[in-house]
């Protein structure tokens, strides 16, 4: 199973790299974003509506171009990070993240019937942040890509029956990220590709591969950042 996962992921990421490799995104250069540590900004509309929240995120290039990887669940009021790797735990329902109330790993089923792992994070943790202890970087000590501060409160779970497969989630104000350790995967190139909203007017995230470093595993990385104006609308709409 692990070799199948590695082969599929290797093929898709090599297709995404192409001949020139991944780009590196710097979130500090993007308008309408923040460092994940401050407030949610302010909107200018007197009539907040979910229609004004365009947080359906799609990679703009690579093998996963056009596939949904970021999604705001308006009914359950949560942010969904969809990880484009096969479901490696059969019949997974929910695996909760300790100390992050309401957050869990689950299965996401796309319109075409394909299934991927996904992380569900309640919007109440993202829009105003939470009183979480301690910021963290990637397990190898590198800053979190697409997070200007490079670190956020972090939480992790081990995948049942999958030795050394570990899922990390990071949550700050208007930003969330996920990193899945893939110890059986060794790619020659690392980096990120941009994730844009459905209207392609904003870069709202980044997706890519983190290279192994010393004794630390490489793996899949996905981040989403809610623009200030959308965060202000969500702040008015969700149940606190």
């Amino acid at each position: 199973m692990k070799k199948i996962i590695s082969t599929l992921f290797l093929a898709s990421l090599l297709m995404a790299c192409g001949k020139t490799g991944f780009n590196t995104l710097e979130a500090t250069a993007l308008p309408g974003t923040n460092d994940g540590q401050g407030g949610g900004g302010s909107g200018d509309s007197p009539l907040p509506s979910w229609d004004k929240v365009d947080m359906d995120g799609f990679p703009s290039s690579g093998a996963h171009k056009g596939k949904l990887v970021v999604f705001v669940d308006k009914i359950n009021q949560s942010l969904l990070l969809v990880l484009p790797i096969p479901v490696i735990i059969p019949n997974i329902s929910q695996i909760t993240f300790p100390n992050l109330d309401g957050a869990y790993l689950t299965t996401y089923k796309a319109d075409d019937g394909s299934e991927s792992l996904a992380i569900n994070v309640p919007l109440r943790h993202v829009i105003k942040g939470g009183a979480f202890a301690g910021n963290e970087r990637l397990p190898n000590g590198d800053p979190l890509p697409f997070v200007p501060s490079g670190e956020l409160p972090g939480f992790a779970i081990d995948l049942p029956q999958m030795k050394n497969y570990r899922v990390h989630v990071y949550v700050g104000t208007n930003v969330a990220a996920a990193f899945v350790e893939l110890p059986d995967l060794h790619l020659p190139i690392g980096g990120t590709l941009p994730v844009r909203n459905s209207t392609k007017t904003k870069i709202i995230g980044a997706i890519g591969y983190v290279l192994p470093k010393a004794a630390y595993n490489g793996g899949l990385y996905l981040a989403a950042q809610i623009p200030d104006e959308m965060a202000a609308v969500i702040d008015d709409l969700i149940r606190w």
Side-chain angles (χ1 to χ4, degrees):
M1 172 62 76
K2 293 180 181 179
K3 291 187 179 297
I4 293 175
I5 295 167
S6 298
T7 301
L8 290 173
F9 192 68
L10 174 63
S12 64
L13 279 181
L14 287 179
M15 289 173 64
C17 289
K19 297 180 180 179
T20 58
F22 287 110
N23 296 320
T24 299
L25 292 177
E26 295 293 341
T28 50
L30 299 175
T33 60
N34 59 53
D35 63 0
Q37 304 296 315
S42 60
D44 56 4
S45 172
L47 298 173
S49 167
W50 285 114
D51 292 337
K52 298 179 181 180
V53 180
D54 182 8
M55 278 297 295
D56 291 356
F58 306 86
S60 56
S61 60
H64 302 298
K65 179 180 179 180
K67 293 185 178 181
L68 186 70
V69 295
V70 175
F71 173 66
V72 167
D73 184 338
K74 301 167 185 177
I75 296 176
N76 295 312
Q77 300 190 351
S78 61
L79 177 67
L80 203 66
L81 301 175
V82 182
L83 307 167
I85 56 177
V87 176
I88 54 183
I89 306 175
N91 303 318
I92 178 175
S93 176
Q94 294 182 6
I95 302 177
T96 59
F97 285 87
N99 303 316
L100 186 58
D101 181 52
Y104 54 86
L105 181 72
T106 187
T107 299
Y108 172 79
K109 189 170 185 177
D111 292 339
D112 62 5
S114 62
E115 293 185 341
S116 302
L117 290 179
I119 296 174
N120 182 93
V121 181
L123 283 168
R124 68 179 185 274
H125 294 321
V126 181
I127 297 303
K128 291 187 176 179
F132 302 121
N135 287 347
E136 296 183 9
R137 295 186 168 198
L138 289 171
N140 65 14
D142 287 348
L144 300 174
F146 201 69
V147 175
S149 63
E151 55 186 35
L152 293 170
F155 311 85
I157 55 174
D158 293 306
L159 295 184
Q161 302 178 353
M162 301 291 291
K163 185 178 180 180
N164 298 325
Y165 278 69
R166 196 163 168 80
V167 181
H168 304 259
V169 62
Y170 306 87
V171 180
T173 303
N174 294 359
V175 61
F179 174 62
V180 183
E181 296 184 39
L182 299 171
D184 297 301
L185 180 64
H186 302 281
L187 297 181
I189 303 172
T192 55
L193 296 168
V195 174
R196 298 182 184 273
N197 62 353
S198 63
T199 56
K200 300 182 180 179
T201 56
K202 292 184 179 294
I203 296 176
I204 60 170
I207 187 171
Y209 177 69
V210 174
L211 289 168
K213 182 179 179 181
Y216 296 96
N217 297 319
L220 173 68
Y221 180 82
L222 173 63
Q225 193 165 58
I226 303 175
D228 289 345
E229 65 273 18
M230 295 187 198
V233 174
I234 294 172
D235 191 6
D236 288 335
L237 291 171
I238 64 175
R239 301 179 297 271
W240 290 102

